[in-house]
Amino acid sequence: IDYNHTQLGTECASGSLAEGLALHAEGYLKWFKDIQEKYPNIIFETCASGGMFMDSHIASISSVFSVSDQEYYYNYPPMVANLPFAVLPEQMGIWCMPMREREYPNTTDEQVIMNVVNCLFGVMHFASKIDALQESHRKLLQEGFAYYRSLAEIKDKAIPIMPNGFASLFDDVVFAGLKYGNKLYVTVSNMTDKQQKVKLDLSRYNVCSAKLAYPKNGGNAYSLTNGFFECSMAPISARAFEFEIKI
């Protein structure tokens, strides 16, 4: 349901523009619920129009959101980090587009990896020409898809966390996370065009070990000391880590 109209409201059968807008919203929600009751076996996806229409009312009845029309993988990490605090992780539909026509044949490993990492904590909307990718890229996708599927059973139970607070479009590094049981799942995205060593304080979570989860052969040097995590990151790159929590 791609309903992106922005209305100011109406004074028709109402006392003010604001009341008219509220009545309009109530009518739309009732119509949406009636359709769902009529077709209980259909999954209805709504378009969030960049997040402008992700309010609690729509979130309460939508199965999944297309959270953005964003096609460029580089712009996704800050959104992905903040989205779980607007809608549930299992409602977050995120585009994975590792090969776009304008970039072929210059697709890189890091581009493929960041596309997958962006989707790990949400619902992957895959759109790409797999047959046009190199074999090494297809293997990275295969590994990423397997890891993504392995997280499916925890996403509807996990608690979103902000390892480093709300993310900004201008952050050099973006962290996103989920907590489930005795584990933290954290993605790290280097948004700069320079190699850098990133640092993250996870001591409040009482973590005791770290593991590079995707890609397993990412080649990153990382360490965890007294809850303080450090990792070397290539320019414009992303990785997914798992941390054990000491109970």
Side-chain angles (χ1 to χ4, degrees), residues 127-167:
S128 211
K129 295 184 177 181
I130 297 180
D131 59 319
L133 293 171
Q134 299 177 19
E135 179 64 23
S136 61
H137 297 156
R138 290 198 292 269
K139 288 182 178 179
L140 283 170
L141 283 177
Q142 187 177 30
E143 180 189 351
F145 292 164
Y147 184 60
Y148 165 79
R149 286 193 293 268
S150 75
L151 297 177
E153 62 184 40
I154 70 123
K155 269 185 279 196
D156 62 346
K157 307 178 186 70
I159 299 173
I161 63 170
M162 285 185 168
N164 201 39
F166 276 107

